[in-house]
Amino acid sequence: MTGIPNDRIRVDLRRAINAVSDVVQNRPRPLREFDQIHMKSGDMVLQSEMVADWADGKRLAFIGDGDAISVCVAYMKRRGVLNFGPSKITVFDFDERTVQAVKRFADKERIENLDAELYNCFDAFPSVTKYDCFYTNPPWGQYNDGESVNLFVERGIEAVGYDGDGMVVIADDDELAWPKHVLARVQAFSRERGFYVSKMQRKLHTYHLDDAPDLCSCNLYVSALAENKANVVPSQPATPLRLANFYGRSKELRVKYVREKKVLNYGMAHEDEYSLELLKGTP
């Protein structure tokens, strides 16, 4: 699938797709008002392999993960679809449905190196064990000039202690102006914090997005400069000015957490989604 070292197994595409299908069946449905838009499954397979290769043997923090790429990466290694991947994965997400879905899946499949914590990027990043790299697919910042992306990137940089690598999934379209402006802002923001763009993989992913079905995203890789440890500053809560249009036009960040009302089996239809009309004469 991708160019990987010879000592790594060739990926069985059917097993990889089936593994991703298991994950997709067990993740919460997206909330469009929070810019949760799921990546298409074929692209998730490719992305999961790339993330596992990039973060092989490292401690990886996911700053939000509605797509469940974190679970795909851990599960594919657990099932032997991949023989490489991160040594530890932690998901930080404000959606309790996502957090609990990760925890339940990890428990069910006995994936000991996968965990999740309830966290909103508005807050200062929690004091945790330093990670080696971070991954984020944040709200893409069309109406806030990329500030929503920058806040997620900032939390990723704090997760690695200003000394590591990051992969940022961000809009990428040659026909539209706003993705170019956002990319430029994110690159400048990262550079101000001692990170340079080490690689960019363009137009890799597509999404279940009704109003822009052809909009793609890229992987933007950032890496810390060697002398960057001197730039470490304590994490601070986001200022209100950074929250404007966070999830789209006139959609400020107002919600602390999305709470899970009840435990659901996401692989089955919910009882509140349907009703039954019985055959005539049926008791």
Side-chain angles (χ1 to χ4, degrees):
M1 289 159 61
T2 62
I4 58 177
N6 293 331
D7 61 336
R8 296 181 177 174
I9 61 173
R10 293 184 62 83
V11 175
D12 183 319
L13 187 57
R14 176 176 290 182
R15 292 182 66 203
I17 292 172
N18 286 343
V20 169
S21 179
D22 289 343
V23 174
V24 168
Q25 283 288 91
N26 287 278
R27 72 183 175 190
R29 291 182 298 174
L31 300 175
R32 188 65 180 88
E33 59 266 38
F34 299 118
D35 215 21
Q36 293 178 348
I37 306 163
H38 285 163
M39 188 182 293
K40 292 187 176 179
S41 296
D43 295 332
M44 288 181 65
V45 173
L46 297 173
Q47 183 74 347
S48 298
E49 187 198 8
M50 284 187 282
V51 171
D53 180 35
W54 167 70
D56 184 34
K58 298 179 180 179
R59 295 162 297 179
L60 173 59
F62 276 74
I63 312 301
D65 189 29
D67 287 319
I69 294 293
S70 60
V71 183
C72 291
V73 171
Y75 184 52
M76 288 168 74
K77 185 178 181 183
R78 178 73 176 86
R79 287 285 180 168
V81 179
L82 302 174
N83 66 346
F84 51 91
S87 61
K88 175 182 175 62
I89 300 174
T90 307
V91 178
F92 297 89
D93 202 292
F94 87 124
D95 190 337
E96 189 178 36
R97 303 173 310 148
T98 295
V99 170
Q100 293 304 322
V102 170
K103 287 179 171 289
R104 284 191 292 266
F105 196 94
D107 182 64
K108 175 187 172 186
E109 299 296 333
R110 300 182 180 180
I111 307 175
E112 296 181 356
N113 66 334
L114 174 65
D115 200 4
E117 295 185 21
L118 191 64
Y119 167 71
N120 191 316
C121 67
F122 172 81
D123 295 320
F125 195 75
S127 177
V128 294
T129 302
K130 178 180 173 295
Y131 291 84
D132 302 305
C133 48
F134 73 89
Y135 175 102
T136 188
N137 186 348
W140 286 350
Q142 178 179 1
Y143 296 106
N144 60 22
D145 204 21
E147 193 57 35
S148 51
V149 182
N150 287 341
L151 183 55
F152 276 74
V153 169
E154 182 174 326
R155 298 313 184 204
I157 288 174
E158 291 168 347
V160 300
Y162 285 74
D163 181 30
D165 302 288
M167 184 189 297
V168 185
V169 180
I170 190 170
D172 185 16
D173 191 304
D174 288 332
E175 303 302 319
L176 299 174
W178 70 265
K180 300 181 182 67
H181 288 291
V182 170
L183 272 166
R185 286 242 22 233
V186 173
Q187 292 180 42
F189 182 88
S190 300
R191 182 62 187 89
E192 290 168 0
R193 281 146 187 82
F195 281 71
Y196 67 97
V197 174
S198 53
K199 184 167 63 172
M200 184 175 177
Q201 296 167 318
R202 298 203 62 196
K203 300 179 183 177
L204 285 182
H205 327 108
T206 52
Y207 295 81
H208 297 284
L209 186 57
D210 292 339
D211 54 348
D214 297 325
L215 183 60
C216 296
S217 63
C218 65
N219 287 334
L220 182 72
Y221 296 80
V222 295
S223 299
L225 296 169
E227 66 276 13
N228 201 42
K229 291 182 181 179
N231 290 333
V232 177
V233 295
S235 182
Q236 299 291 331
T239 62
L241 289 176
R242 301 185 71 179
L243 307 184
N245 301 317
F246 199 84
Y247 295 116
R249 194 193 304 272
S250 301
K251 293 182 179 180
E252 282 69 31
L253 194 162
R254 301 176 186 273
V255 175
K256 175 79 169 179
Y257 300 125
V258 174
R259 289 293 186 179
E260 184 176 61
K261 295 181 67 174
K262 57 183 178 180
V263 176
L264 300 171
N265 184 342
Y266 291 107
M268 301 176 64
H270 307 163
E271 292 182 359
D272 57 0
E273 291 184 349
Y274 66 93
S275 62
L276 303 177
E277 181 175 344
L278 302 179
L279 292 170
K280 291 182 179 179
T282 302

